[in-house]
């Protein structure tokens, strides 16, 4: 699979994840679920007139912001970027 960009933005108890393209987004969600990273996820939203899709991952005692970033960095297909504040 070709590498794709993933932007993250910490939002307190959640992290917003933005991905280019629904196929990349569903692949990433599946990959994260295989790693048992999360039990729940907010629905994936595809932005109007844009290929960007977003979803949120909740942080908890089993998954901190730092751990989530490390997991994303460990996926070779992901080019991780931080969204500006």
């Amino acid at each position: 699979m070709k590498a794709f960009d993933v932007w993250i933005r910490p939002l307190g108890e959640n992290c917003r994840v933005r991905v280019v393209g629904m196929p990349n987004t569903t692949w990433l969600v599946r990959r994260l679920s295989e790693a048992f990273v999360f039990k729940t996820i907010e629905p994936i939203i595809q932005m109007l007139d844009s290929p960007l899709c977003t979803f949120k991952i909740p942080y908890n005692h089993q998954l901190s912001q730092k751990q989530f970033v490390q997991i994303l960095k460990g996926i070779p297909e992901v080019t991780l970027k931080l969204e500006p504040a």
Side-chain angles (χ1 to χ4, degrees):
M1 176 173 224
K2 187 177 176 183
F4 56 92
D5 293 335
V6 174
W7 293 266
I8 59 170
R9 183 170 187 190
L11 300 170
E13 296 179 359
N14 297 296
C15 182
R16 182 176 63 206
V17 181
R18 188 169 288 174
V19 183
V20 176
M22 186 59 81
N24 291 335
T25 305
T26 55
W27 182 89
L28 180 60
V29 168
R30 195 172 317 117
R31 177 78 184 258
L32 292 173
S33 69
E34 290 171 0
F36 300 103
V37 171
F38 58 88
K39 294 188 189 304
T40 61
I41 182 174
E42 288 191 18
I44 297 171
I45 300 169
Q46 184 161 8
M47 301 172 72
L48 293 175
D49 300 323
S50 171
L52 295 176
C53 299
T54 63
F55 61 93
K56 290 181 184 173
I57 295 286
Y59 296 133
N60 56 42
H61 66 281
Q62 295 175 339
L63 179 68
S64 68
Q65 176 182 341
K66 184 177 179 179
Q67 290 169 318
F68 184 55
V69 168
Q70 291 301 87
I71 289 167
L72 289 173
K73 285 181 176 179
I75 301 173
E77 294 84 358
V78 168
T79 304
L80 186 60
K81 301 180 178 205
L82 293 176
E83 281 190 21

